[in-house]
C-alpha cells in the first residue's frame, strides 16, 4: 500500500511528545498525555486509527482473545457502553471499536495521518529529539514514544522471481480496503501462520481452486466463535473491575484457572478429558494452561502434541494430508492459531495442500509457483508470510541516539532493552511493548495499557521534579537482557524456529525477544523500579 504524497494536516514545529503510530498504544498515549496537559502529536502511516486492525483486513481476520477481555480498561464508561457483538470479534468490529474510541475521546485532532516517520535524532545540547517524516516535516520533542506495534513490519518471502508473476498479488497485512473477490479464481497462498489459518477457509469458499503452500504446519484450535449473550455481557459489566485486576495479575493478560498438576502425573484418560475440555472451550490460554509443565517439559508437551495430532487425523479425511498438517515442534513454542473450520477445509475438493518440506518451493513464475515437482498456475497469489516481528517497526525508522548512535546498528546482534521500555544510549525514547517485555506472549491491550501508564507516569515524574532526561543504564539493561534470556532458557520456546526468535528473517540474530515471565510478575518488577525512583535509569 502506498501513502499519498502529502500529509493530511499541518505539523506543529515543537511538542512535548511525539508518538509514532495510532494503534491501540498511540491512541491511549495521546489520551493520557493530554490529561497531563502535555502537548503531543501522533504520526500515523495509515488513513485512520487502528494500527494492526487498520492494516490486517484479510478475509477471516479476527482476534484470538475474547472481545470483553481484548478492550481498554481505562474508561469505565467505555467498558459499560461498548456493544461488543461476538466472542472473537472480526477485524471490522475491532476497527470500529478503535474508531469509536478516537471519536469518543476526540483523538484525531492531534493525529497526523498518511505520514510515516522516517528518522529521529537526539540532540544532546537541547536535550530533545528532532523527528523527521517522509514528507520532510521536522518536529522537535522532548520525548519520543514508539507505539509502532510488534507485528507491523510485514515481510515478503525470499523467493526468486517474486516480481515476475503476471496475476494479482496480495499480502495479508496490506489487504485492499475494498476487499478481493476470489470467485472463479485459481488462488495460491503461501504461509500457514495465524493469518493463513484464518484466511484459508474463507478464501476456499469463494475460489475455484485454492492451493496452500505450507512450510511449517501450525497448531490450531477451533475458536467456537459465537455471538455474545446479553447475560454474559451484563455479568462482566457488573464486575469489570475485579476482572481487570485478575487480568493484570495473570500470566498472559487473560485470567485462567492456574494448573496444579503435571501432564505426566495423571492417567491417560484424565489427561485426554482435560485436553478435550480445553479443545471444546475454544480458548488458546485454556489449552496452554492445562498442565503446569507444558511449556517447560518436552515429555509433558509431547502428550499435548500427540493428542492434537489425533484430533487433526480425526478431522481430515485424507491420511497423508492429515499427516502433513501435524506439527513436529512442541505445542505453544510457535504462536498457536485459533480458527474456524481450518482443518475441515482440507476435506474440500477445491483445496490442495503442498508440503514444502517434501516438495520445496523453487521460484515464482509468470504463471504461478514452481516447486521442485511442478509449476502451479494461479490467477492470484496471497502471501501470508508474516512480519519482521518486534524489532522491524523500530529499526525501520532511522533512530539516532547519543553521539549519532544508530538503534539498528546497536541492535545488530539482537535487541537490547531495559524492561522492553528504554535502551541505553537513547535518552527520552520509549517503546510500547518493546522487545524484552511480555508483549506478544500476552493479551496486547493489557500490556499496552500497563506500558503507557508506566511511561506517562515517568514523564509526569520528570516534569514534576523539573528533570529533563531519562536513560536506561547499561548495567541495568545487561541484567535485564540476561534475565529475559534466562527465563526463555527454562522453557521449550527455543526449540522451534519462530518469529519470537527472529528465525523467519534470514540473517536476523536468533534471540528470544519477548519476556516469558508473565505479565503479573513483569508488572510487579516495573512497579518496583518506579517505587525505587526509577532504579536502573539515569535521570537528570
Ligand atoms: O505470520 P507467521 P502471520 N516460503 O510468521 C510462512 C499475530 N496474528 O501473519 O513457519 C514458504 O506466523 C511461514 O513458514 P515458517 C499472531 O501473533 C494474530 O500468520 O517460517 N513459507 C509461516 O507459515 C501471529 O503469530 C492473529 O516455516 C514461508 C507463514 O509464512 C503473528 O501475528 C491473526 C516463507 C508466516 O506465519 C504472525 O502471523 C493474524 C517462505 N519463504 C496474526 N516465508 C489473531 O489474533 C514465510 N513463510 C488470530
Amino acid at each position: 500500500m502506498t501513502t499519498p504524497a502529502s500529509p493530511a494536516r499541518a505539523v506543529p514545529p515543537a511538542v512535548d511528545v511525539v508518538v509514532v503510530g495510532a494503534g491501540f498504544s498511540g491512541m491511549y498515549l495521546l489520551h493520557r498525555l493530554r490529561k497531563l496537559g502535555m502537548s503531543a502529536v501522533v504520526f500515523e502511516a495509515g488513513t485512520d486509527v487502528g494500527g494492526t486492525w487498520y492494516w490486517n483486513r484479510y478475509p477471516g481476520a479476527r482476534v484470538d482473545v475474547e472481545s470483553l477481555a481484548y478492550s481498554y480498561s481505562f474508561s469505565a464508561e467505555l467498558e459499560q457502553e461498548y456493544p461488543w457483538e461476538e466472542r472473537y470479534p472480526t477485524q471490522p468490529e475491532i476497527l470500529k471499536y478503535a474508531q469509536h474510541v478516537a471519536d469518543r475521546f476526540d483523538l484525531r485532532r492531534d493525529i497526523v495521518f498518511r505520514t510515516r516517520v522516517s528518522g529521529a535524532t537526539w540532540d544532546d545540547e537541547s536535550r530533545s529529539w528532532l523527528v523527521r517524516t517522509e514528507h520532510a516535516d521536522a518536529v522537535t520533542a522532548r520525548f519520543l514514544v514508539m507505539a509502532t506495534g510488534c507485528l507491523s513490519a510485514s515481510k515478503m518471502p525470499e523467493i526468486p522471481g517474486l516480481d515476475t508473476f503476471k496475476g494479482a498479488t496480495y499480502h495479508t497485512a496490506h489487504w485492499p480496503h475494498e476487499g478481493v473477490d476470489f470467485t472463479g479464481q485459481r488462488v495460491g497462498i503461501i504461509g500457514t501462520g495465524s493469518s493463513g489459518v484464518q484466511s484459508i477457509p474463507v478464501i476456499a469458499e469463494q475460489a475455484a481452486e485454492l492451493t496452500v503452500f505450507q512450510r511449517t504446519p501450525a497448531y490450531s484450535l477451533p475458536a467456537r466463535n459465537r455471538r455474545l449473550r446479553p447475560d454474559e455481557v451484563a455479568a462482566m459489566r457488573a464486575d469489570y473491575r475485579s476482572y481487570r485486576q485478575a487480568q493484570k495479575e495473570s500470566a498472559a493478560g487473560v485470567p485462567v484457572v492456574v494448573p496444579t498438576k503435571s501432564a505426566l502425573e495423571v492417567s491417560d484418560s484424565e489427561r485426554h478429558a482435560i485436553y478435550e475440555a480445553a479443545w471444546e472451550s475454544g480458548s488458546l490460554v485454556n489449552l496452554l494452561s492445562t498442565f503446569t509443565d507444558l511449556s517447560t517439559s518436552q515429555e509433558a508437551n509431547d502428550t499435548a502434541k500427540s493428542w492434537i495430532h489425533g484430533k487433526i487425523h480425526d478431522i481430515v479425511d485424507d491420511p497423508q494430508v492429515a499427516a502433513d498438517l501435524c506439527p513436529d515442534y512442541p505445542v505453544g513454542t510457535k504462536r498457536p492459531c485459533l480458527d474456524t473450520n481450518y482443518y475441515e477445509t482440507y476435506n474440500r475438493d477445491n483445496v490442495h495442500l503442498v508440503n514444502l518440506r517434501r516438495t520445496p518451493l523453487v521460484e515464482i513464475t509468470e504463471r504461478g509457483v514452481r516447486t521442485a515437482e511442478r509449476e502451479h498456475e494461479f490467477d492470484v497469489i496471497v502471501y501470508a508470510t508474516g512480519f519482521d516481528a518486534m524489532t522491524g517497526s523500530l529499526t525501520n525508522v532511522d533512530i539516532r541516539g547519543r553521539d549519532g548512535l544508530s538503534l539498528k546498528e546497536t541492535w545488530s546482534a539482537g535487541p537490547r532493552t531495559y524492561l522492553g521500555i528504554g535502551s541505553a544510549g537513547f535518552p527520552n525514547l520509549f517503546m510500547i511493548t518493546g522487545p524484552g517485555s511480555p508483549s506478544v506472549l500476552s493479551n496486547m491491550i493489557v500490556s499496552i495499557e500497563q506500558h503507557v501508564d508506566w511511561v506517562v507516569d515517568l514523564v509526569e515524574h520528570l516534569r514534576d521534579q523539573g528533570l529533563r532526561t531519562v536513560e536506561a543504564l547499561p548495567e541495568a539493561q545487561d541484567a535485564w537482557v540476561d534475565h529475559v534470556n534466562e527465563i526463555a532458557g527454562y522453557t521449550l520456546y527455543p526449540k522451534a524456529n519462530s518469529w519470537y526468535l527472529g528465525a523467519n528473517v534470514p540473517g536476523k540474530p536468533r534471540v528470544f525477544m519477548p519476556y516469558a515471565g508473565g505479565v503479573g510478575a513483569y508488572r510487579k518488577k516495573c512497579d518496583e523500579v518506579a517505587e525505587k525512583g526509577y532504579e536502573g535509569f539515569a535521570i537528570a
Side-chain angles (χ1 to χ4, degrees):
M1 184 158 299
T2 52
T3 31
S6 61
R9 44 153 290 185
V11 175
V15 286
D16 293 323
V17 187
V18 162
V19 174
V20 186
F24 281 97
S25 305
M27 288 199 294
Y28 182 42
L29 269 164
L30 180 57
H31 176 68
R32 283 244 23 215
L33 288 166
R34 274 191 191 158
K35 288 209 153 194
L36 217 57
M38 300 197 81
S39 60
V41 64
V42 181
F43 290 110
E44 166 56 52
T47 59
D48 202 357
V49 296
T52 283
W53 302 104
Y54 171 91
W55 296 105
N56 289 268
R57 296 166 186 254
Y58 59 83
R62 281 178 198 277
V63 68
D64 56 8
V65 178
E66 299 189 29
S67 55
L68 294 169
Y70 189 83
S71 49
Y72 285 125
S73 73
F74 71 83
S75 162
E77 295 78 21
L78 181 64
E79 279 173 345
Q80 292 299 322
E81 77 195 13
Y82 197 77
W84 288 109
E85 291 169 22
E86 294 190 59
R87 180 186 185 195
Y88 293 112
T90 58
Q91 173 270 331
E93 193 182 353
I94 306 166
L95 184 59
K96 202 166 97 187
Y97 173 73
Q99 291 166 336
H100 171 84
V101 172
D103 291 340
R104 197 185 192 291
F105 298 98
D106 188 21
L107 298 178
R108 286 195 183 82
R109 68 186 153 87
D110 288 318
I111 304 175
V112 182
F113 292 105
R114 292 183 223 129
T115 304
R116 201 171 276 282
V117 167
S118 51
T121 305
W122 173 254
D123 177 38
D124 230 0
E125 216 173 290
S126 63
R127 291 189 285 179
S128 60
W129 285 95
L130 182 69
V131 181
R132 300 175 307 280
T133 76
E134 61 180 342
H135 306 299
D137 293 309
V139 187
T140 304
R142 279 187 59 199
F143 300 99
L144 171 62
V145 191
M146 299 300 286
T148 40
C150 299
L151 294 156
S152 38
S154 63
K155 223 195 126 288
M156 287 294 275
E158 294 69 24
I159 305 173
L162 272 186
D163 295 334
T164 56
F165 181 58
K166 297 272 194 245
T169 295
Y170 304 99
H171 190 290
T172 45
H174 297 275
W175 207 256
H177 287 208
E178 63 280 12
V180 178
D181 183 4
F182 291 104
T183 311
Q185 306 279 295
R186 296 164 305 165
V187 183
I189 182 165
I190 300 176
T192 51
S194 296
S195 304
V197 162
Q198 288 189 328
S199 53
I200 285 164
V202 184
I203 297 173
E205 281 180 10
Q206 258 190 22
E209 298 290 327
L210 175 65
T211 304
V212 179
F213 294 91
Q214 171 193 274
R215 186 165 67 183
T216 310
Y219 288 100
S220 192
L221 185 78
R224 308 198 190 284
N225 187 42
R226 56 174 172 75
R227 293 192 70 76
L228 287 171
R229 295 186 313 272
D231 63 303
E232 65 190 321
V233 176
M236 180 65 102
R237 284 183 179 163
D239 197 17
Y240 235 136
R241 296 278 60 76
S242 336
Y243 184 79
R244 296 304 195 188
Q245 189 55 36
Q247 283 189 300
K248 291 177 181 178
E249 291 166 9
S250 67
V254 180
V256 284
V257 178
V258 179
T260 53
K261 288 182 182 169
S262 157
L264 305 175
E265 71 178 81
V266 297
S267 67
D268 286 355
S269 62
E270 187 179 344
R271 194 184 315 110
H272 289 178
I274 289 170
Y275 286 144
E276 187 71 42
W279 184 267
E280 284 302 315
S281 76
S283 157
L284 286 175
V285 278
N286 284 355
L287 179 72
L288 297 175
S289 29
T290 39
F291 294 103
T292 51
D293 45 1
L294 283 196
S295 62
T296 50
S297 154
Q298 179 75 60
E299 206 185 341
N301 195 290
D302 282 345
T303 67
K305 174 176 155 181
S306 57
W307 189 86
I308 297 173
H309 285 187
K311 276 285 174 197
I312 297 171
H313 278 277
D314 286 349
I315 300 169
V316 178
D317 297 338
D318 182 327
Q320 182 59 56
V321 174
D324 286 343
L325 288 167
C326 288
D328 60 1
Y329 51 87
V331 179
T333 52
K334 278 169 89 98
R335 169 82 177 205
C337 308
L338 205 62
D339 73 87
T340 302
N341 295 330
Y342 178 62
Y343 295 120
E344 290 82 349
T345 294
Y346 291 94
N347 294 334
R348 295 176 66 106
D349 291 338
N350 69 333
V351 175
H352 320 284
L353 180 67
V354 177
N355 180 346
L356 296 176
R357 298 270 180 226
R358 254 204 324 273
T359 321
L361 209 160
V362 175
E363 61 175 347
I364 304 295
T365 66
E366 277 188 19
R367 290 180 300 192
V369 174
R370 189 191 308 283
T371 66
E373 199 175 70
R374 71 176 179 91
E375 187 178 24
H376 299 257
E377 291 187 20
F378 299 118
D379 303 304
V380 181
I381 298 179
V382 174
Y383 292 96
T385 45
F387 303 87
D388 179 358
M390 303 201 71
T391 52
S393 60
L394 296 166
T395 55
N396 283 349
V397 178
D398 183 20
I399 298 175
R400 306 266 163 178
R402 268 188 211 290
D403 307 318
L405 194 68
S406 148
L407 187 75
K408 188 173 181 170
E409 284 164 26
T410 308
W411 285 9
S412 58
R416 296 190 74 77
T417 73
Y418 180 39
L419 301 174
I421 294 176
S423 190
F426 300 87
N428 292 12
L429 169 74
F430 303 114
M431 291 158 262
I432 303 301
T433 65
S437 73
S439 60
V440 292
L441 300 181
S442 72
N443 175 346
M444 285 301 292
I445 302 210
V446 173
S447 288
I448 284 169
E449 283 194 328
Q450 186 251 335
H451 263 191
V452 170
D453 285 337
W454 198 93
V455 165
V456 176
D457 288 351
L458 169 54
V459 166
E460 183 178 21
H461 171 79
L462 293 174
R463 186 190 64 180
D464 293 352
Q465 302 295 314
L467 299 162
R468 292 285 309 203
T469 58
V470 55
E471 181 181 346
L473 290 166
E475 54 273 25
Q477 177 169 289
D478 290 347
W480 184 252
V481 170
D482 288 348
H483 177 59
V484 171
N485 288 332
E486 187 191 355
I487 297 275
Y490 293 137
T491 72
L492 299 174
Y493 280 119
K495 296 206 171 216
N497 287 322
S498 67
W499 56 256
Y500 296 141
L501 283 151
N504 63 328
V505 180
K508 194 166 172 174
R510 195 179 170 93
V511 172
F512 190 77
M513 294 181 286
Y515 176 61
V519 301
Y522 173 79
R523 176 184 296 268
K524 256 194 206 154
K525 169 70 184 173
C526 290
D527 289 349
E528 274 168 28
V529 166
E531 276 156 25
K532 291 181 183 165
Y534 295 97
E535 186 181 48
F537 287 94
I539 297 189

